[in-house]
């Protein structure tokens, strides 16, 4: 029995036509190698004249190539040939199973079958009726004896761009030929699982339970059918739901590329294209993270497209201060009037045309790339095009699509949510990526060498890019094997203030926190680092230096400090016992944001420090006070109109001013060296009668809020 199978296997040959070795073709070949199929490739490096995707007919070139290839096998009576497409096909089981099913079909030639008739619908009536299964012939794959196949293509005299589908259909629909060549259709998809038109698909999950570091296999399959013909080339790791699982197999990808042990100067050269296409919060943080990427700057060139006047200063100061650290920097500013797509073409072209460029890394300004290893991780995946997964915080909005709708727009794939939320972890072949991705320069000089990748009909820039990449048979991968970062929300970004990021506490709360909340606030919340310099006066870190500086600058920018005399409305309203030189949060339109800050950061700590008291952080008075020796140096003893008060020092004693501080009279206790970014928190009325100690030099700023008045 084994002998017989071996004999049979020797008599099986796979023929396929591939004029280019696309990634789809390489996937096909890997799966063939895995199962030990003998494959002969026809037409390699020949020009493809068989039509394109704009013209559904075509494919005649394949018939011509098959016809001429068959000449060498005329005398091989027993030879069984599988003729199959390769760009969108992969093997899902081995030759033994294929031959078994071919024999069971009991005809000399078996064609794949389809539910839809094309290219000529008028032929429907001529098709034999079937009780179940698929009725129509598909030319994407067929298997048969060499001599029968020879007869099948004998009468081909068509042109390379004539339809092979129509040709085979006409042979099949001729009852005499059908019988003499002995052709049947694989109606029940026992051999060919054709997914054309099948939209309910299941992507196979790759790496669960597998050590992600060892993993380099994008395809695993375990299904009973012999051949899987994929609907579109990006469905590389989809398996249709209807399939039953019987045998297992793993088809391995080419290896990873390790960067370990490389000297800095030997690392691949990367051109990073940075795109600031709209007003974007936290841009200085963006540049900070760019600098912190762990990759030698002398192996990085920067191309920056800044479309926004609003960001001129930030880009300028980054380039001035750090441009020299990089191998090269090129900036295209708003006055150059270069549009988004054009700018992206320019950036890519810089890399394409520079023989020293190994990778192009495209990075949009709204991407918060927190993983400093990102460049190395992506390079090591060794893909032509690869994106790291980033998504909006706790949202499903991300930089990839799991599937395409039939008209090329977004479609939610069955596994989309699992991939975004990293319940399934792996490397995914996807139809759309955006905002951040790495492209091998090699592919920019071959498959993707057309200068204009970012236009395609009326499609948006990002969709046009993906459309063009897919059309060239280049796979786009997405990895979620690591955490990389997230995407900022740009929705409510106003540009009317000096430091607009301060207003982002609602739209981008995590980024706001990272920029403005002191790194040791979390420790303070746990009760560590909280000091009590005077009875019931707590002292803990709350703001970063940047928060303090920006708040002060914002106030000085606004500039309308109260005069401190009795005409001040607050005094008439009777809330404040003593007047100060100040600007209130509501004067700069910062009331809602300040309230949110109090609620998110002050309330939790209040409840820790004064157990049993639950604050609503209501306030009527929240303001920044300015003390100057020649303006108002100090404040006479007073009670605050509050249940409790916070008093945040916004600048640094010694450097910015001298003197200052706060004295609680009842306890004869002073805090003389306030720390920048730290807040005092003390009860308001009754016990904590206090005074502001004189500022003797420079200018001192504090932010004061009277809570629960
Ligand atoms: C093919 O040949 C077999 C006998 O060898 C016959 O039973 C079968 O009906 C034929 N099929 C067609 C479609 O002619
Ligand atoms: C946070 O606390 C640690 C440990 O006390 C200290 O070393 C560090 O300087 C603090 N960070 C800042 C920004 O003050
Ligand atoms: C207050 O404290 C200072 C030293 O800290 C001391 O010299 C002074 O006598 C104290 N005053 C009262 C009224 O206790």
């Amino acid at each position: 029995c084994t002998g017989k199978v071996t004999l049979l296997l020797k008599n099986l040959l796979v023929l396929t036509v591939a004029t280019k070795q696309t990634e789809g073709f390489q996937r096909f070949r890997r799966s063939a190698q895995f199962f030990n199929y003998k494959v002969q490739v026809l037409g390699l490096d020949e020009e493809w004249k068989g039509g394109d995707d704009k013209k559904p007919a075509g494919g005649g070139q394949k018939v011509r190539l098959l016809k001429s290839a068959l000449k060498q096998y005329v005398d091989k009576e027993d030879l069984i040939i599988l003729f199959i497409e390769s760009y969108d096909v992969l093997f899902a089981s081995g030759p033994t199973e294929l031959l078994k099913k071919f024999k069971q079909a009991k005809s000399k030639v078996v064609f794949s079958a389809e539910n839809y008739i094309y290219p000529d619908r008028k032929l429907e009536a001529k098709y034999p009726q079937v009780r179940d299964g698929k009725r129509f012939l598909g030319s994407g794959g067929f298997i048969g004896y060499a001599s029968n196949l020879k007869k099948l293509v004998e009468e081909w005299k068509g042109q390379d761009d004539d339809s092979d589908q129509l040709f085979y259909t006409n042979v099949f629909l001729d009852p005499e030929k059908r019988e003499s060549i002995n052709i049947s259709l694989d109606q029940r998809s026992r051999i060919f699982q054709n997914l054309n038109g099948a939209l309910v698909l299941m992507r196979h999950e790759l790496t669960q339970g597998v050590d992600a570091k060892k993993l380099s296999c994008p395809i695993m399959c375990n299904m009973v059918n012999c051949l899987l013909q994929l609907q579109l080339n990006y469905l590389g790791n989809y398996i249709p739901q209807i399939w039953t699982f019987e045998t297992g197999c793993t088809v391995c990808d080419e290896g990873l590329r390790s960067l370990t042990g490389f000297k800095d100067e030997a690392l691949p050269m990367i051109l990073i294209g940075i795109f600031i296409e709209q007003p974007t919060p936290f841009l200085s943080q963006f540049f900070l993270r760019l600098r912190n990427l762990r990759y030698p700057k002398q192996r990085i060139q920067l191309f920056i497209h800044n479309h926004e006047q609003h960001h001129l200063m930030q880009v300028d100061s980054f380039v001035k201060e750090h441009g020299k650290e990089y191998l090269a920097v090129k900036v295209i500013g708003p006055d150059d009037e270069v549009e988004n797509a054009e700018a992206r073409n320019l950036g890519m072209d810089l890399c394409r045309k520079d023989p020293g460029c190994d990778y192009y890394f495209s990075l949009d300004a709204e991407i918060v790339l927190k993983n400093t290893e990102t460049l190395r991780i992506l390079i090591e995946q060794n893909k032509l095009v690869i994106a790291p997964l980033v998504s909006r915080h706790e949202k499903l909005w991300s930089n990839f699509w799991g599937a395409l709708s039939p008209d090329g727009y977004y479609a939610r794939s069955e596994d989309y949510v699992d991939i975004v939320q990293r319940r399934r972890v792996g490397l995914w072949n996807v139809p759309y990526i955006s905002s951040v991705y790495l492209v091998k320069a090699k592919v920019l000089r071959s498959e993707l060498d057309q200068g204009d990748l970012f236009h395609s009909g009326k499609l948006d820039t990002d969709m046009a890019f993906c459309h063009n990449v897919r059309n060239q048979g280049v796979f786009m991968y997405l990895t979620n094997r690591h955490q990389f970062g997230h995407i900022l929300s740009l929705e409510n970004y106003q540009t009317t203030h000096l430091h607009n990021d301060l207003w982002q506490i609602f739209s981008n709360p995590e980024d706001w926190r990272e920029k403005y909340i002191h790194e040791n606030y979390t420790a303070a919340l746990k009760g560590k680092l909280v000091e009590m310099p005077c009875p019931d006066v707590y002292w803990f870190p709350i703001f970063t230096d940047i928060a303090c500086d920006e708040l002060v600058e914002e106030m000085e920018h606004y500039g309308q400090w109260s005069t401190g005399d009795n005409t001040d409305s607050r005094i008439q309203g009777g809330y404040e016992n003593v007047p100060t030189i100040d600007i209130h949060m509501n004067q700069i339109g910062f009331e809602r944001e300040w309230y949110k800050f109090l609620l998110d950061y002050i309330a939790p700590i209040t409840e820790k420090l004064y157990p049993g008291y639950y604050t609503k952080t209501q306030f009527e008075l929240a303001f920044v006070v300015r003390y100057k020796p020649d303006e108002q140096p100090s404040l006479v003893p007073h009670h605050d109109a509050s249940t409790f008060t916070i008093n945040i020092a916004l600048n640094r004693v010694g450097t910015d001013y001298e003197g200052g501080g706060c004295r609680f009279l009842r306890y004869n206790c002073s805090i003389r060296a306030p720390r920048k970014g730290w807040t005092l928190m003390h009860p308001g009325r009754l016990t904590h009668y206090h005074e502001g100690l004189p500022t003797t030099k420079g200018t001192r700023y504090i932010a004061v809020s009277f809570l629960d008045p």
Side-chain angles (χ1 to χ4, degrees), residues 663 667-669:
R663 189 169 93 93
Y667 308 97
N668 189 21
C669 175

Side-chain angles (χ1 to χ4, degrees), residues 518-520 529 678:
H518 195 284
E519 65 169 333
N520 288 334
L529 284 171
W678 284 53

Side-chain angles (χ1 to χ4, degrees), residues 101 112 150 193 230 292 307 331 398 492 507 534 550 566 698:
K101 289 184 170 164
S112 64
K150 190 168 165 283
Q193 180 67 48
L230 297 154
N292 286 341
H307 184 260
V331 182
S398 80
N492 297 303
S507 298
C534 299
E550 289 194 3
N566 285 357

Side-chain angles (χ1 to χ4, degrees), residues 184-237:
S184 70
L185 302 186
D186 181 31
Q187 281 164 23
R188 293 202 181 76
S189 296
R190 302 196 69 238
I191 299 175
F192 305 97
Q193 180 67 48
N194 196 329
L195 298 183
N196 265 327
L199 288 173
V200 187
L201 299 164
M202 189 171 75
R203 194 193 305 273
H204 193 60
E205 196 270 306
L206 300 177
T207 61
Q208 209 161 42
V210 181
D211 178 357
K213 284 205 195 93
K214 286 188 197 145
L215 200 127
S216 59
C217 311
I219 304 158
M220 287 173 83
C221 39
N222 33 10
M223 61 295 271
V224 60
N225 304 58
C226 292
L227 283 170
L228 160 59
Q229 184 174 350
L230 297 154
Q231 184 199 9
L232 289 167
N233 62 12
Y234 58 83
L235 298 175
N237 33 32

Side-chain angles (χ1 to χ4, degrees), residues 24-292:
F25 172 76
Q26 288 164 19
R27 175 181 60 193
F28 168 82
R29 200 169 50 188
R30 285 197 301 274
S31 77
Q33 275 163 358
F34 179 81
F35 289 113
N36 279 325
Y37 281 98
K38 200 162 82 191
V39 179
Q40 186 184 342
V41 184
L42 310 176
L44 209 53
D45 299 327
E46 198 175 277
E47 192 194 337
W48 177 248
K49 296 185 212 123
D52 55 32
D53 63 339
K54 288 176 201 106
K55 202 172 142 205
Q61 189 169 356
K62 290 189 288 179
V63 191
R64 168 170 66 75
L65 289 166
L66 173 63
K67 186 174 171 178
S68 89
L70 284 172
K71 283 184 193 137
Q72 52 187 303
Y73 302 115
V74 271
D75 49 352
K76 296 225 169 167
E77 283 280 301
D78 297 333
L79 183 67
I80 296 170
I81 288 177
L82 170 70
F83 188 70
I84 186 81
E85 289 180 351
S86 53
Y87 292 163
D88 52 1
V89 168
L90 59 87
F91 288 97
S93 66
T96 316
E97 193 161 349
L98 174 64
L99 287 173
K100 187 175 94 190
K101 289 184 170 164
F102 174 58
K103 298 280 170 184
Q104 285 168 350
K106 292 194 168 56
S107 50
K108 300 286 192 294
V109 176
V110 180
F111 265 86
S112 64
E114 309 213 3
N115 280 322
Y116 303 99
I117 181 167
Y118 70 98
D120 186 356
R121 310 193 70 187
K122 292 195 293 293
L123 295 174
E124 179 166 350
K126 288 191 171 181
Y127 264 99
Q129 289 295 339
V130 297
R131 252 184 308 162
D132 52 13
K134 298 169 180 168
R135 185 175 166 199
F136 306 108
L137 174 142
S139 61
F142 50 89
I143 179 170
Y145 287 95
S147 50
N148 298 62
L149 293 187
K150 190 168 165 283
K151 271 200 254 171
L152 174 74
V153 294
E154 211 156 48
E155 287 173 25
W156 169 261
K157 291 187 188 64
Q159 300 297 309
D160 275 2
D161 62 351
D162 285 348
S163 168
D164 61 334
Q165 169 79 18
L166 189 61
F167 171 73
Y168 293 126
T169 303
N170 283 328
V171 176
F172 178 74
L173 293 181
D174 177 333
E176 255 171 50
K177 286 182 188 160
R178 181 160 72 230
E179 205 184 313
S180 71
I181 306 174
N182 195 267
I183 311 173
S184 70
L185 302 186
D186 181 31
Q187 281 164 23
R188 293 202 181 76
S189 296
R190 302 196 69 238
I191 299 175
F192 305 97
Q193 180 67 48
N194 196 329
L195 298 183
N196 265 327
L199 288 173
V200 187
L201 299 164
M202 189 171 75
R203 194 193 305 273
H204 193 60
E205 196 270 306
L206 300 177
T207 61
Q208 209 161 42
V210 181
D211 178 357
K213 284 205 195 93
K214 286 188 197 145
L215 200 127
S216 59
C217 311
I219 304 158
M220 287 173 83
C221 39
N222 33 10
M223 61 295 271
V224 60
N225 304 58
C226 292
L227 283 170
L228 160 59
Q229 184 174 350
L230 297 154
Q231 184 199 9
L232 289 167
N233 62 12
Y234 58 83
L235 298 175
N237 33 32
Y238 273 105
I239 292 171
Q241 264 169 355
I242 42 172
W243 285 21
T244 54
F245 291 70
E246 208 174 88
T247 52
C249 64
T250 310
V251 183
C252 267
D253 185 24
E254 83 248 55
L256 300 178
R257 166 174 195 184
S258 173
L259 292 181
T260 342
F262 270 77
K263 288 217 172 73
D264 275 6
E265 58 275 18
L267 285 172
M269 200 268 270
I270 307 177
L271 194 143
I272 304 185
I274 292 163
F275 297 92
I276 308 161
E277 300 300 323
Q278 52 202 315
T280 308
F282 303 110
L283 196 65
S284 41
Q285 268 51 40
F286 173 87
F287 283 121
L288 192 64
R289 278 187 304 270
L290 180 73
R291 284 167 48 208
N292 286 341

Side-chain angles (χ1 to χ4, degrees), residues 163 184 333 417 570 607:
S163 168
S184 70
V417 176
R570 278 171 285 114
E607 285 159 21

